[in-house]
């Protein structure tokens, strides 16, 4: 499972169409707003989540979604494991 953000979709549904608008309305740094917009974040501070919820008029759970790992990704992971096991046998 992979957790992803729905921040861009929520923002766009509320009339914020750019990362810059999100930055200004939520009081975020430009780099944080851009990473949130592109869903390229690993960690988000609680204060950032709070600011996003205030601006987007939502609850914290509305900002995130967990998606299953695709079958292709699972196959690639299985292949890497198999290769590693074979290398360890040598």
């Amino acid at each position: 499972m992979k957790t992803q953000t729905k921040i861009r979709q929520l923002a766009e549904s509320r009339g914020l169409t750019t990362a810059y608008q999100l930055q200004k309305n939520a009081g975020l740094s430009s780099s944080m707003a851009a990473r949130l917009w592109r869903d390229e974040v690993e960690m988000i501070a609680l204060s950032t989540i709070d600011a996003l919820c205030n601006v987007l008029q939502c609850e914290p759970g509305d900002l995130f979604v967990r998606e299953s790992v695709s079958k292709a990704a699972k196959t690639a992971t299985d292949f890497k494991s198999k290769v590693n096991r074979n290398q360890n046998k040598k």
Side-chain angles (χ1 to χ4, degrees):
M1 300 292 272
K2 181 180 178 191
T3 302
Q4 296 182 312
T5 68
K6 299 189 304 181
I7 294 166
R8 183 176 186 160
Q9 295 87 341
L10 283 169
E12 288 176 339
S13 73
R14 285 154 175 81
L16 302 174
T17 58
T18 65
Y20 180 76
Q21 289 175 331
L22 181 66
Q23 171 195 345
K24 290 301 180 187
N25 282 279
L28 304 172
S29 69
S30 59
S31 62
M32 176 56 81
R35 285 184 288 137
L36 289 167
W37 196 259
R38 294 187 310 257
D39 191 22
E40 296 176 348
V41 290
E42 294 285 324
M43 296 185 302
I44 303 175
L46 291 175
S47 58
T48 301
I49 293 171
D50 191 45
L52 290 167
C53 288
N54 286 334
V55 168
L56 301 176
Q57 300 174 350
C58 66
E59 294 297 317
D62 299 330
L63 300 173
F64 307 99
V65 64
R66 288 197 31 110
E67 295 188 0
S68 332
V69 176
S70 71
K71 192 172 186 177
K74 184 180 181 323
T75 302
T77 302
D78 291 346
F79 176 76
K80 286 179 187 177
S81 295
K82 193 174 189 178
V83 169
N84 287 338
R85 278 182 283 175
N86 288 338
Q87 288 177 345
N88 290 337
K89 287 180 183 179
K90 293 179 181 180

